[in-house]
Every structure is written in structure tokens, then in C-alpha cells.
Amino acid sequence: MQISALLRITTIRVVILFLVAMTVISGSPAPAYSAEDDAITWSVRPADADAPDGRAWVEQSLGAGDQRTDHLAIRNFSSREVRFSLSAGDGFFTLNGRFDMTPSGEPSTDAGTWIVIADAVTVGPRSTVVVPFTTRVPANAEPGDHAAGVTASITTRSAEQAGGPAVGIESRMGFRVMTRVTGEITPALAVDAIESSFSPTWNPLRPGAATVTVLTRNTGNVRIIVDGDVTVAGRTVPLRDADDPPQELLPGETRALTVHIQRVWPTVLVAGAVDLRPTAIMVDDSVAALTVERQEFAIWAVPISQLLLLAGVALILIGIVTRRRRGRRRLEQLLARARAEGVASVRPGTSGRD
């Protein structure tokens, strides 16, 4: 499958997930709050049995058939009591490397089904409530990383439109729950495709730019951080900017990474190479470097503006040469005519004496 098609499919999926998460909610177990009410703000953090414990998310290592109970702390910053819906779902990474989870209306098929949590909880004004949740790993779970998330959400009811019903918008907040099922760990990353293109400039004295898209796929069973460089015509550009989040792939996920290389001269066929430096994330958040993989490619870079310039110069030179040839031919014709007239003017038998 081409990268452009995969990008369209993945983008459509992300848009659908976003729209589903921000659409009309019906049958929600928690009450809907009016948009005219005081703003409701809250936070959700990992916790121990008493309070938030400083973790950004939950990392756990469990064997098939094992279970573990953890906690989340919901802090209600509002001046009123709020009833939050609680849920769990499968996790994934978006195109820009951000973690997200399936929306409430979409069923989970993996680690989101392993988490048992209460349906709802009521939190008083400016108060915090700690809620336990349990991860139960099936006995037939495959070794490796399985991503899920837990959230606390509310439904905000908008004002009724003229002649129409009020609608509700779900807002949720949560964190990821990463479960590594113990067993044989096989980190691996593959390059499915490399697409490249060249953008010339109309100024023949200036170079163009190359665009390279690398489609990577996590073919192992643990999370992989993708990093590396793209080199085109001797110029090297990193696959991600220093300010961008790490490009993290869950098992089975694909990611299209695109870079732009400036100042590339069109030399018909430009050589390039992708050097990947993947690292596998271990249970203790350390990383293990994998073998650097190098993939070479070539970019068709036809020097259009330079060829047009050469064609123009060639036309000028041809015009100059043609004009000179025509001038020389005309001069030869004039000389030949003058010689003929000179010969004709000399009569036979005449002498120079009177």
C-alpha cells in the first residue's frame, strides 16, 4: 500500500475518533451539566491508595493470568459537586506521536478490556477522590506491550437551539496504562516504503528542495522509539526536530515520517539514504538500542530551469552563428559579383596605348 493511501486512512481514523469523542452523547450514566453553569475543571493522575504519587502514567509488568490493582486520583477544582463517568479503553499513538485512547462509544479489543473500574464517582467541590482500578491479564495474552487508558469524563449540555433539542459534548481527561505481559521480548522495526520527490525552482541559479517520507512499522512486540537521519546529496536532516515529542510506536503500529531537505541541486538522479536508530523501551523506562538500519534510495531531480536556460543560450548562439553565416555568404556573393563585373569590363585585344 502506498504511503499516501496509508496517510489518508490513518488521518481519517484520527478525525473519526476525535469526532466521536466530541459528539452527541446519549444514555450517559453521569448527569449532563449546562454550558451556562460555572466552569468545571478537573485533573486525573495516577495515585497510591491515598493521594497522587507523582507518576505521569502507569507502567506495569504482569504475567498472563495475573492481575494488579492501581489507583487514579480525581481532583475537582470547581466550586460545586461533580459526578464523573469513569471508563477504560485501548490506547494508541496519533500521527504526531501523542497518546490517545478509543472514544467512549467505540469498543476496545485489547488491554482496554482488561481494566475493571467503577462506572462513576462523585467528587465534592475542591476535593480529591482516589478510585481503584484493576488490570486483569487474560491467560492467553501474548507477551509484549499492551496499551490502554483510563479517563474521568463529564457531559456538558449546550443550550437548546431554536426548534431543536439540546446536545451533549463529552469532555474527558485521563492517563495511559501500559502493561507489559512477560515472556519472550522481540523488539523489531521495519521500513515498509520510502517515497521521495524533488521541487525545483524557476531560478536556474538556485537549488531546489527534496521531500522524503519514510513509512516505518513496529514488527516486534514492545514499544519502539523511532529516530534517525535522512541524507540527500550530502545534506543530513534528522527525522524529527529536537522540540518534537519522541516518535513512539506500539506493536503493529505504523508511522509516516516526512522531512524536507533544502538546497538540493538537480542532477537528474540524486542519491539518498535513511539511517534509522530505533530503541526499545524496557519495563524500567530504560531504552535498549537496536541495530542501525540503512536504506538507500534515489530521487529523480530533472534540472528543468537549468535545461530551459541552456536551451535559451543555445537558441541565442544558434541565432548568432546563423547570422554570421548569412553575412559571410552575402559578402561572398557580393565579391563574386564584383569579380564577374570586373572580368566582363575588360575587352579582349585592348591595350593600354592610345
Side-chain angles (χ1 to χ4, degrees):
M1 183 179 293
Q2 295 296 318
I3 291 178
S4 56
L6 286 172
L7 280 172
R8 287 197 298 271
I9 293 172
T10 309
T11 303
I12 291 172
R13 183 187 178 212
V14 172
V15 172
I16 292 174
L17 293 178
F18 176 78
L19 291 176
V20 172
M22 302 298 291
T23 190
V24 178
I25 306 298
S26 60
S28 174
Y33 296 92
S34 172
E36 285 78 18
D37 293 340
D38 294 338
I40 299 174
T41 56
W42 72 102
S43 67
V44 181
R45 297 286 186 271
D48 55 25
D50 301 315
D53 55 14
R55 291 177 294 172
W57 57 76
V58 171
E59 295 270 359
Q60 54 189 3
S61 179
L62 299 172
D66 291 347
Q67 68 178 37
R68 172 183 168 177
T69 298
D70 217 306
H71 302 79
L72 72 156
I74 306 172
R75 172 66 174 170
N76 178 15
F77 297 100
S78 311
S79 59
R80 56 174 299 177
E81 180 180 271
V82 180
R83 182 171 175 80
F84 295 96
S85 294
L86 304 179
S87 63
D90 290 343
F92 62 93
F93 287 97
T94 62
L95 290 175
N96 60 3
R98 305 288 184 183
F99 185 83
D100 202 351
M101 59 178 283
T102 53
S104 301
E106 182 175 317
S108 296
T109 59
D110 193 46
T113 63
W114 302 354
I115 297 177
V116 179
I117 192 172
D119 291 333
V121 64
T122 299
V123 184
R126 299 184 178 87
S127 299
T128 300
V129 172
V130 175
V131 179
F133 64 90
T134 301
T135 303
R136 296 174 179 171
V137 181
N140 60 348
E142 295 182 357
D145 287 338
H146 299 262
V150 291
T151 65
S153 63
I154 64 169
T155 301
T156 303
R157 186 182 64 249
S158 67
E160 292 187 11
Q161 304 295 325
V167 297
I169 298 177
E170 182 190 46
S171 301
R172 61 181 185 172
M173 188 173 296
F175 55 84
R176 69 173 97 168
V177 179
M178 303 297 302
T179 302
R180 174 162 296 182
V181 179
T182 57
E184 184 180 1
I185 300 301
T186 56
L189 182 73
V191 176
D192 284 348
I194 298 175
E195 284 193 354
S196 58
S197 62
F198 178 76
S199 300
T201 61
W202 291 111
N203 185 346
L205 302 180
R206 295 182 62 86
T211 300
V212 179
T213 299
V214 184
L215 182 65
T216 60
R217 179 166 50 95
N218 186 342
T219 56
N221 62 0
V222 294
R223 285 174 292 159
I224 297 290
I225 294 178
V226 183
D227 210 342
D229 303 306
V230 176
T231 301
V232 174
R235 295 184 54 81
T236 300
V237 176
L239 276 173
R240 70 178 183 90
D241 294 332
D243 297 334
D244 292 341
Q247 293 292 337
E248 191 171 344
L249 274 72
L250 291 168
E253 285 188 337
T254 60
R255 186 74 43 78
L257 305 175
T258 300
V259 297
H260 304 281
I261 302 95
Q262 303 296 326
R263 291 182 289 172
V264 176
W265 287 99
T267 55
V268 182
L269 201 60
V270 180
V274 175
D275 293 294
L276 291 180
R277 296 187 298 274
T279 53
I281 301 177
M282 311 311 290
V283 177
D284 58 358
D285 275 348
S286 64
V287 295
L290 305 181
T291 303
V292 176
E293 181 175 354
R294 185 177 181 87
Q295 296 267 347
E296 296 182 347
F297 61 94
I299 305 174
W300 284 105
V302 180
I304 298 176
S305 58
Q306 288 81 4
L307 290 176
L308 291 175
L309 175 62
L310 290 176
V313 172
L315 288 175
I316 293 173
L317 292 176
I318 291 173
I320 293 173
V321 171
T322 302
R323 183 178 299 177
R324 287 182 177 178
R325 286 181 177 177
R326 287 177 179 175
R328 188 184 307 114
R329 190 179 302 116
R330 184 178 180 184
L331 179 60
E332 290 174 353
Q333 290 174 352
L334 291 174
L335 291 174
R337 183 183 302 174
R339 284 193 296 269
E341 291 176 352
V343 171
S345 65
V346 179
R347 296 177 181 178
T350 60
S351 65
R353 303 175 68 179
D354 293 333

